[in-house]
Amino acid sequence: MTIQWFPGHMAKARRQVTEKLKLIDIVYELVDARIPQSSRNPMIDEIVTNKPRVVLLNKADKADKAITNEWLRYYEEKGIAAIAIDAQSGKGLNQILTVSKELLKEKFDRMRAKGIKNPRAIRAMIVGIPNVGKSTLINRLAHKNIAKTGDRPGVTQAQQWIKVGKELELLDTPGILWPKFEDELVGYKLATTGAIKDTILNLQDVAVYALRFLTASYPNRLQERYDLPHIPEEIVDLFDEIGKRRGCLLSGGIIDYDKTAELVLREIRGDRLGVLTFEKPYEEKVEAE
Ligand SMILES: Nc1nc2c(ncn2[C@@H]2O[C@H](COP(=O)(O)OP(=O)(O)OP(=O)(O)O)[C@@H](O)[C@H]2O)c(=O)[nH]1
């Protein structure tokens, strides 16, 4: 597989995030609840070293609820604050302030101890990979409450802050961290959920991954959706069955594998096979074939 992880992009993103860290009290790391591990950039652990962090499992409406709960337990066991949210509908968002206040209690208590009667609002920034829902979350929290507050020390550029009630302020520009997909399985998961462009990986390979995953984890849904009396063992036979049933054919009745791959991925992304989660905590890494 010839996936490139652009070091130039990453270095720039790292610089920008590091610069903004000086302005804030807490980081909200947005990940996709369907692939909490693959949708984060592991470098964030090196970048965000001295600020508390909350993991926000976004698009929880598209994820398998039981597995989202497993992820929440996993983070709890590791002592990492995590909340399942749906930025589009606003579900779970009210927990963000509560958790932030808990994590920053000592810092703000110290301010009060120094004689500051009404400490300022908590300042936060959102970071995450492209398409994970950063803008949706900011807009949802903002309710058009965007406040121009001008320069803050440490940056040459004026930062805009978004007021979220009285107690929270968000940087209006999120930090973008690129996904790291040197591992091909990570790449396939990102592609299946639509986090990376379809032109980056071979679409048939992505669909092979997705169909193998469905066969192993959600066989009933696969059978039901494509009306399969049983799931063929050979992946090519599975493509044939789906292509035949859905009319993805070339002239002469030959199965059009590109069209079949496209159809399957479109239906997965559109929740036609129900809500799905592609990775579990503590899961052994399985090499994609
Ligand atoms: N179902 C669902 N869709 C969501 C949710 N949050 C965001 N989306 C959708 O995901 C897509 C990407 O959301 P954006 O907010 O543009 O993501 P972003 O991280 O700002 O993307 P970039 O600007 O590329 O960095 C949009 O189509 C949103 O409508 C969610 O909680 N649930």
Side-chain angles (χ1 to χ4, degrees):
M1 198 167 56
T2 52
I3 300 175
Q4 294 300 319
W5 183 47
F6 305 108
H9 275 166
M10 202 53 231
K12 192 170 166 220
R14 185 190 191 125
R15 248 192 338 267
Q16 283 174 347
V17 172
T18 307
E19 195 60 34
K20 284 177 185 167
L21 274 177
K22 296 177 193 157
L23 307 172
I24 51 115
D25 303 302
I26 191 162
V27 172
Y28 299 146
E29 182 190 2
L30 208 53
V31 298
D32 189 317
R34 296 168 294 174
I35 46 169
Q37 207 61 46
S38 297
S39 59
R40 71 191 297 261
N41 186 302
M43 248 176 59
I44 192 167
D45 295 328
E46 288 168 40
I47 300 174
V48 185
T49 50
N50 58 352
K51 297 282 155 109
R53 195 185 335 158
V54 184
V55 175
L56 302 177
L57 295 153
N58 192 36
K59 307 195 186 182
D61 56 309
K62 293 172 86 70
D64 191 320
K65 280 190 185 53
I67 306 177
T68 301
N69 288 334
E70 281 181 38
W71 277 105
L72 291 174
R73 272 198 300 280
Y74 163 87
Y75 289 118
E76 201 181 337
E77 278 162 19
K78 295 202 144 210
I80 299 169
I83 307 168
I85 64 165
D86 168 358
Q88 216 165 41
S89 76
K91 220 169 167 183
L93 301 195
N94 54 2
Q95 286 180 64
I96 296 176
L97 180 63
T98 316
V99 171
S100 305
K101 278 167 120 175
E102 276 166 25
L103 290 176
L104 290 164
K105 188 173 179 310
E106 267 183 39
K107 181 173 181 175
F108 280 75
D109 279 352
R110 273 201 305 275
M111 282 190 207
R112 281 187 201 93
K114 280 185 192 158
I116 303 167
K117 275 206 188 103
N118 294 311
R120 57 173 175 73
I122 291 172
R123 292 180 192 143
M125 82 180 282
I126 291 171
V127 300
I129 65 168
N131 210 37
V132 74
K134 298 180 297 299
S135 309
T136 307
L137 177 60
I138 290 173
N139 289 336
R140 189 82 210 180
L141 288 171
H143 297 301
K144 306 231 172 340
N145 239 336
I146 298 168
K148 264 198 184 160
T149 49
D151 284 338
R152 297 248 193 242
V155 278
T156 44
Q157 223 179 333
Q159 297 289 334
Q160 282 205 23
W161 293 85
I162 292 162
K163 285 187 188 298
V164 185
K166 283 198 182 103
E167 294 174 290
L168 183 63
E169 284 180 12
L170 266 185
L171 268 185
D172 75 328
T173 42
I176 298 176
L177 289 177
W178 304 88
K180 190 172 181 187
F181 45 97
E182 281 163 345
D183 175 337
E184 63 180 11
L185 194 55
V186 171
Y188 290 143
K189 289 177 185 175
L190 288 165
T192 302
T193 54
I196 55 174
K197 284 198 196 98
D198 279 344
T199 45
I200 295 182
L201 292 176
N202 178 299
L203 216 57
Q204 282 186 30
D205 289 345
V206 178
V208 166
Y209 155 76
L211 286 171
R212 285 213 169 108
F213 166 78
L214 290 170
T215 302
S217 303
Y218 297 93
N220 298 342
R221 304 228 204 129
L222 183 60
Q223 278 185 269
E224 209 174 295
R225 179 73 197 162
Y226 298 109
D227 220 358
L228 304 166
H230 69 277
I231 302 175
E233 260 174 47
E234 292 293 329
I235 194 74
V236 66
D237 296 334
L238 181 54
F239 264 82
D240 282 345
E241 291 296 326
I242 296 174
K244 207 162 49 189
R245 284 174 165 73
R246 290 307 181 86
C248 303
L249 303 172
L250 295 165
S251 60
I254 302 162
I255 304 295
D256 185 337
Y257 292 121
D258 281 334
K259 217 169 158 189
T260 310
E262 244 179 74
L263 174 120
V264 167
L265 292 172
R266 195 172 56 239
E267 296 203 338
I268 289 174
R269 292 171 191 162
D271 301 338
R272 293 303 181 85
L273 286 105
V275 293
L276 301 168
T277 298
F278 297 88
E279 56 195 15
K280 291 182 178 174
Y282 303 116
E283 201 169 40
E284 290 277 320
K285 261 193 185 170
V286 190
E287 272 305 307
E289 284 169 47

